[in-house]
Amino acid sequence: LFAGLCQVGAWGCFDEFNRLEERILSAVSQQILTIQRGLSERQTHIELLGRSIKLDPNMGTFITMNPGYVGRSNLPDNLKSLFRSCAMVVPDRKLIAQVMLYSQGIVTAEHLAPRIVDLFLLCDSKMSKQRHYDFGLRALKTLLVGAGALKRKAIEGKGDLSAEATAEEEKKALIVGACNNVLPKLIAEDMAIFKDVLEEVFPGSEVSTMDDENLRSEITAICERKDCNPTEKFIQKLLQLKQVIEMRHGVMVVGPTGSGKSMALRILLEALEKVDHTKGDLYVIDPKSIDKENLYGSLDGTTLEWTDGVFTSLLRRIIDNQKGESERRHWVVFDGDVDPEWAENLNSVLDDNKILTLPSGERLRIPDNMRIILE
């Protein structure tokens, strides 16, 4: 990679650089030192890994890192000295929200953006501190992206609306989006707080509940067949789970042992199959029962031969689509404690890249009909 960057004169940005092990970081620092020495002495060629490499003077190397995280390494001093530090400022959430709302066709974005940002900030400050709560930019982006679709659905068939009517529909769509985004992850104690915060930011508004008559009736029928009690709270949780799974490709289901997490997933998958006639497959993996190499695969140091792990072989089978996998719904459930040792590798899978990068250099893209669920 460094040899390629040197020869074409490209800039390389290594994201989450300190996820590499310290021994590898130390070896990388020697290569970067050789490149930087060549650039400072204006050499046309440098010796890299025993080969003479052409050095373009425009070549540059950048790294990003989050220090202090579990599962991350500390940069060795000899590597730290090769880079100039640059601290980042907190982004302007209101401006970002405004631009994103405009891009979704929300006409009153300038008026709504500050209010939706305030809603998230108030939720963050007033609610209890739970490990699964996220009121950051990523959660805000999910809400903003869905706001446009909710507005278009609301005004469908209503013809040309006045400016006041359009503003009201957009406000309602944003409130529904906020409820869809925030409610599913709240514990019981924080429900009342969210209601107060919503009333404070959007006076006169009420917390909206999920409703889907077809899905509700199927869930009730399946619950009775499986001897489960289809209470209103349980059905609401399933409807919320369905909403979240539609919005995100990575979902975390949180709750104590015996609270019905696994049963909820199975009932919802079966109910969705009845409603839209798309067959669903549920794959359950216990990540703590196997080591990281057996989960993601391993590269033989001698022969450089790659062997797939449990997750990679499953992902490859879905991507290859040899038995009509593209026509089905695939939920991969990691059932067990979320440990940085194995969950760290899912970083690029769960973010917007949706790509699993293997040590062999291969990149596997997560298909749109697949969901990663951490239980």
Side-chain angles (χ1 to χ4, degrees):
L1 189 58
F2 281 127
L5 292 173
C6 289
Q7 291 177 85
V8 300
W11 287 6
C13 181
F14 298 89
D15 197 20
E16 307 284 3
F17 194 63
N18 59 333
R19 287 173 64 191
L20 294 171
E21 296 173 25
E22 282 198 46
R23 58 187 180 82
I24 298 173
L25 288 173
S26 189
V28 167
S29 68
Q30 295 304 312
Q31 297 179 18
I32 294 174
L33 180 61
T34 304
I35 294 168
Q36 290 193 349
R37 191 176 289 145
L39 289 170
S40 63
E41 294 174 3
R42 301 185 183 279
Q43 296 177 9
T44 56
H45 287 77
I46 57 170
E47 198 76 24
L48 204 62
L49 297 174
R51 290 192 300 153
S52 179
I53 301 291
K54 177 191 166 191
L55 181 61
D56 190 300
N58 294 317
M59 187 268 180
T61 309
F62 304 85
I63 62 173
T64 69
M65 54 181 282
N66 289 314
Y69 271 41
V70 179
R72 310 288 171 96
S73 308
N74 293 317
L75 284 191
D77 290 334
N78 60 340
L79 182 57
K80 209 179 286 184
S81 63
L82 301 178
F83 291 95
R84 181 184 297 169
S85 297
C86 177
M88 305 302 291
V89 296
V90 177
D92 186 343
R93 292 190 188 191
K94 292 181 181 178
L95 182 59
I96 292 170
Q98 186 179 321
V99 171
M100 288 196 69
L101 285 174
Y102 273 132
S103 72
Q104 291 295 320
I106 305 294
V107 182
T108 55
E110 194 172 347
H111 174 63
L112 290 174
R115 295 169 80 175
I116 203 67
V117 170
D118 288 342
L119 177 73
F120 270 62
L121 292 175
L122 285 169
C123 285
D124 195 25
S125 61
K126 290 190 174 184
M127 290 182 183
S128 61
K129 302 302 175 190
Q130 303 293 327
R131 294 175 70 180
H132 67 278
Y133 280 5
D134 175 23
F135 297 107
L137 264 178
R138 188 162 286 163
L140 181 62
K141 183 189 172 189
T142 305
L143 163 60
L144 299 175
V145 169
L150 287 169
K151 177 206 168 179
R152 288 187 287 273
K153 187 178 177 182
I155 65 173
E156 192 177 348
K158 292 187 178 179
D160 293 331
L161 297 175
S162 64
E164 292 80 8
T166 302
E168 187 61 29
E169 289 294 346
E170 289 180 347
K171 178 185 164 186
K172 284 180 184 175
L174 215 56
I175 291 169
V176 171
C179 293
N180 291 351
N181 189 282
V182 176
L183 277 179
K185 59 189 168 195
L186 297 184
I187 60 172
E189 293 78 19
D190 288 331
M191 289 289 189
I193 297 173
F194 177 70
K195 190 176 179 180
D196 294 340
V197 168
L198 193 67
E199 173 67 30
E200 184 180 334
V201 177
F202 295 101
S205 61
E206 291 182 358
V207 175
S208 64
T209 55
M210 306 278 177
D211 211 14
D212 186 330
E213 283 305 319
N214 292 337
L215 189 60
R216 179 186 286 269
S217 60
E218 290 295 346
I219 288 171
T220 305
I222 293 166
C223 283
E224 288 170 355
R225 197 167 67 245
K226 291 181 179 287
D227 295 325
C228 293
N229 186 13
T231 62
E232 181 58 29
K233 279 187 177 180
F234 185 68
I235 291 174
Q236 274 297 312
K237 272 296 165 193
L238 290 187
L239 294 174
Q240 289 173 1
L241 181 58
K242 179 238 181 188
Q243 185 74 29
V244 173
I245 283 174
E246 283 180 352
M247 292 164 66
R248 296 170 180 247
H249 64 279
V251 178
M252 182 175 282
V253 183
V254 182
T257 305
S259 59
K261 300 187 296 296
S262 300
M263 184 57 77
L265 287 169
R266 285 181 167 82
I267 290 172
L268 179 59
L269 189 62
E270 191 175 333
L272 288 172
E273 188 177 327
K274 297 277 187 187
V275 170
D276 60 16
H277 307 293
T278 302
K279 185 169 171 52
D281 292 324
L282 189 74
Y283 312 93
V284 181
I285 301 171
D286 183 354
K288 299 290 280 184
S289 65
I290 51 177
D291 58 29
K292 199 161 69 171
E293 284 70 29
N294 287 326
L295 184 61
Y296 295 111
S298 57
L299 187 69
D300 190 296
T302 309
T303 63
L304 297 181
E305 184 181 347
W306 174 257
T307 306
D308 274 337
V310 174
F311 177 59
T312 40
S313 64
L314 175 60
L315 177 56
R316 206 184 294 277
R317 194 169 81 228
I318 295 169
I319 293 169
D320 289 345
N321 189 29
Q322 292 182 350
K323 295 181 180 178
E325 279 84 0
S326 62
E327 305 298 322
R328 289 146 77 172
R329 187 182 278 116
H330 302 278
W331 291 2
V332 180
V333 180
F334 288 93
D335 191 354
D337 294 339
V338 179
D339 188 333
E341 285 300 313
W342 65 265
E344 193 69 39
N345 287 42
L346 291 176
N347 209 353
S348 59
V349 175
L350 297 173
D351 67 15
D352 293 340
N353 295 312
K354 294 174 71 173
I355 289 174
L356 178 67
T357 306
L358 305 177
S360 61
E362 194 177 1
R363 291 154 68 89
L364 301 177
R365 181 171 287 279
I366 305 300
D368 292 335
N369 60 334
M370 180 176 172
R371 295 291 181 270
I372 309 292
I373 301 174
L374 307 179
E375 186 184 326

